[in-house]
Amino acid sequence: MQKAACVQAVNATEKPAIAPRQQRVRAIWTNAMLWTFQGWLAMFYAGASFAKLTAPPKHLAILLGWAEHVPQSFVMAVGAIEAALAIGMLAPIIGWAIGKPVLTYSALGLLAIQSLVTLYHLASFDILAVILNMALMAMTASILMFKTARHVA
């Protein structure tokens, strides 16, 4: 009698199996969310890189506080890297076999940049920029976690 009660108690704590239809719906919504994040990140970093590559140094000093303390070539190199990573976020559009490794490296690169930028903004007590970078890091980390862990188109 006690053994049967223990088995029922263990079975009661297990999660019920998800129906295949619910799994498909969940996968569709997850995929849509991740593609939305990828698009937002690509647009954000494409815009940031465009500003770094085309704006005059006077304007960059106003827009970016750190740009006046480093050579213009460094600012342009950061802009070029951000442009490449922005394009890499959309690489799975080409094909999953080619796009998955590119997406993985792009997400890792963006996380590295976002971490450094967050540290800079923390040191300069720019809380709004820290919050923005934390949101960008959360989007990038979710893409890295879900898109590279299993096959999601």
Side-chain angles (χ1 to χ4, degrees):
M1 180 93 163
Q2 288 179 339
K3 188 174 183 180
C6 288
V7 171
Q8 288 176 348
V10 169
N11 289 340
T13 60
E14 292 179 6
K15 292 182 181 178
I18 298 174
R21 184 182 186 308
Q22 289 175 323
Q23 287 176 342
R24 284 193 305 273
V25 169
R26 185 177 290 175
I28 289 168
W29 282 103
T30 301
N31 195 27
M33 177 196 67
L34 294 172
W35 271 109
T36 302
F37 286 173
Q38 285 173 254
W40 285 347
L41 287 168
M43 287 187 298
F44 182 86
Y45 283 99
S49 67
F50 182 77
K52 289 177 183 96
L53 292 171
T54 61
K58 292 187 291 190
H59 296 205
L60 282 176
I62 296 169
L63 184 65
L64 308 168
W66 59 272
E68 62 187 350
H69 305 295
V70 296
Q72 180 66 18
S73 59
F74 179 78
V75 175
M76 293 185 79
V78 170
I81 291 168
E82 287 178 346
L85 294 174
I87 293 168
M89 291 305 290
L90 301 177
I93 291 174
I94 297 168
W96 188 246
I98 296 169
K100 183 177 179 179
V102 175
L103 174 67
T104 302
Y105 291 124
S106 295
L108 289 171
L110 285 179
L111 279 175
I113 288 175
Q114 292 159 353
S115 299
L116 293 172
V117 171
T118 301
L119 290 175
Y120 171 79
H121 289 301
L122 277 171
S124 62
F125 300 105
D126 190 0
I127 302 303
L128 291 177
V130 170
I131 293 170
L132 171 66
N133 280 297
M134 295 300 280
L136 293 172
M137 287 174 73
M139 284 192 283
T140 307
S142 65
I143 290 167
L144 188 63
M145 184 173 62
F146 285 105
K147 286 270 186 163
T148 60
R150 59 189 172 91
H151 180 67
V152 178

